[in-house]
Amino acid sequence: MWLSGQQKRPADSSEGQTGIVTISGGELAVLLDSERRGLEVYAPAGYRWTPRVGQRVLVIQGEGEIPCVVGQRQGEDIPDRVAIQARQLDVEGAQTELRGSECAALRGGRVELDGEVYVNGETLEAYITRLIIKILGGVGG
């Protein structure tokens, strides 16, 4: 009968599933239809991410491949802190902004700036000149 072919097929193993992380770190485990252990984690190039226990994650599996975690469900809340660890971090774009409501800090042995540097809309050179004149008691501050 032609209707028998119209029934919904079971999901392919290559379709994504969401699950809860049960073990974090090197032996990552996620509870899907059953607990899967030893999953690999994929992230955009240059990023490193380790899912935490309790997080809801997306797991996909290609044909003949081991299931892998490719992302975490995003919530409405913004985390207080996000740690990025790398030997080098390159941020590129026509306009790149680092914003902080209270304070932005760069810590490390060396900071290199290439290009024009502005402090509150004033070039760094003009800012330094104005400060020196002010410190020496001259006009212009």
Side-chain angles (χ1 to χ4, degrees):
M1 178 186 230
W2 68 273
L3 286 177
S4 64
Q6 300 296 317
Q7 294 176 352
K8 186 171 175 162
R9 295 179 303 135
D12 256 349
S13 64
S14 61
E15 290 185 9
Q17 300 178 44
T18 59
I20 303 294
V21 176
T22 55
I23 300 174
S24 187
E27 181 65 26
L28 182 67
V30 176
L31 182 61
L32 300 163
D33 51 352
S34 63
E35 186 177 66
R36 308 280 176 89
R37 292 187 178 207
L39 287 102
E40 294 183 351
V41 177
Y42 284 76
Y47 288 87
R48 183 170 179 81
W49 166 60
T50 302
R52 294 185 321 272
V53 171
Q55 286 183 317
R56 180 170 293 280
V57 294
L58 176 62
V59 178
I60 63 171
Q61 179 177 2
E63 236 177 274
E65 297 287 328
I66 296 172
C68 59
V69 177
V70 295
Q72 169 197 345
R73 173 170 274 165
Q74 300 296 299
E76 295 294 319
D77 58 327
I78 297 173
D80 291 332
R81 182 181 178 132
V82 175
I84 299 174
Q85 295 177 336
R87 288 184 186 86
Q88 180 175 328
L89 177 63
D90 295 327
V91 180
E92 296 180 17
Q95 180 173 340
T96 304
E97 295 183 28
L98 300 175
R99 297 186 201 191
S101 59
E102 294 178 21
C103 176
L106 298 174
R107 295 185 181 98
R110 177 177 169 166
V111 176
E112 289 188 36
L113 302 173
D114 185 15
E116 293 184 50
V117 178
Y118 286 81
V119 178
N120 293 326
E122 183 177 20
T123 65
L124 182 60
E125 291 82 6
Y127 179 75
I128 292 171
T129 301
R130 186 173 53 79
L131 288 178
I132 291 172
I133 291 172
K134 187 175 183 178
I135 290 170
L136 296 175
V139 183

